[in-house]
């Protein structure tokens, strides 16, 4: 899961996906992580507003720490999901030539939804709730696809 600074959208998506897997597909063998395309917040916990919104839904993000996408991520992970088109472009430019990882928008897994997860950083509480709603839709779609792929 990748956004710009790895403190709002991508850690929320990581937490939501872990939560959905635990509740709906506990036997699914998937490694989930998040990172940012920029190094603005390396080592910082998720934004407190992201943490509070997620915790209201039973998702604890407090143990996560921001990090920047590493070239090794393109070799370690089969699928790297961007929260928006700009981060997808940035990932494409960072991707080593030897990478076999698929790069996609996370919201491609959500049925009848928007294409991007909007950045809530400058928004109010409802913007963080919207990120949770969208990432939950996409996480459920991704889990369904992974279960079908078996």
């Amino acid at each position: 899961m990748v956004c710009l600074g790895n403190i709002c959208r991508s850690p929320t998506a990581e937490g939501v996906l872990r939560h959905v897997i635990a509740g709906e597909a506990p036997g699914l063998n998937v490694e989930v992580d998040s990172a940012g395309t920029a190094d603005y917040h390396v080592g910082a916990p998720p934004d407190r507003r992201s943490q509070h919104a997620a915790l209201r839904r039973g998702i604890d993000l407090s143990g996560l720490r921001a990090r920047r996408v590493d070239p090794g991520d393109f070799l370690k992970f089969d699928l790297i999901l961007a929260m928006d088109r700009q981060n997808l472009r940035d990932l494409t430019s960072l991707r080593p030539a030897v990478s076999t990882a698929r790069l996609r928008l996370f919201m491609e897994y959500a049925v009848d939804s928007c294409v991007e997860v909007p950045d809530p950083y400058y928004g109010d509480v409802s913007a963080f709730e919207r990120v949770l709603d969208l990432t939950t839709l996409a996480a459920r779609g991704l889990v369904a696809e992974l279960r079908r792929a078996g």
Side-chain angles (χ1 to χ4, degrees), residues 52-69:
H52 292 323
L55 204 50
R56 284 192 292 274
R57 297 187 191 196
I59 302 168
D60 184 3
L61 306 179
S62 65
L64 302 179
R65 293 297 175 265
R67 68 179 189 87
R68 185 165 191 242
V69 172

Side-chain angles (χ1 to χ4, degrees):
M1 307 297 169
V2 178
C3 68
L4 182 62
N6 193 217
I7 61 165
C8 295
R9 295 172 290 173
S10 57
T12 297
E14 177 184 349
V16 165
L17 182 56
R18 288 176 188 274
H19 184 77
V20 169
I21 290 170
E24 299 177 14
L28 197 59
N29 185 20
V30 177
E31 184 173 348
V32 182
D33 199 355
S34 64
T37 55
D39 62 358
Y40 304 136
H41 306 286
V42 170
D47 185 287
R48 63 178 172 72
R49 297 165 295 174
S50 291
Q51 290 191 56
H52 292 323
L55 204 50
R56 284 192 292 274
R57 297 187 191 196
I59 302 168
D60 184 3
L61 306 179
S62 65
L64 302 179
R65 293 297 175 265
R67 68 179 189 87
R68 185 165 191 242
V69 172
D70 180 89
D73 291 334
F74 294 92
L75 303 173
K76 179 179 181 180
F77 295 101
D78 299 318
L79 181 61
I80 300 176
L81 301 168
M83 297 299 114
D84 61 39
R85 289 182 193 102
Q86 182 58 54
N87 282 293
L88 184 60
R89 285 189 292 273
D90 292 343
L91 284 167
T92 301
S93 69
L94 293 169
R95 181 184 191 173
V98 297
S99 171
T100 58
R102 292 178 293 141
L103 306 180
R104 294 183 65 180
L105 289 169
F106 188 39
M107 291 310 297
E108 290 178 28
Y109 292 96
V111 178
D112 297 327
S113 190
C114 63
V115 176
E116 298 184 322
V117 179
D119 191 344
Y121 190 78
Y122 294 105
D124 60 13
V125 172
S126 66
F128 291 86
E129 293 293 335
R130 176 88 172 128
V131 168
L132 279 158
D133 292 341
L134 292 172
T135 57
T136 299
L137 286 172
R140 287 197 169 118
L142 174 57
V143 166
E145 184 169 310
L146 292 171
R147 289 174 86 181
R148 282 191 299 274

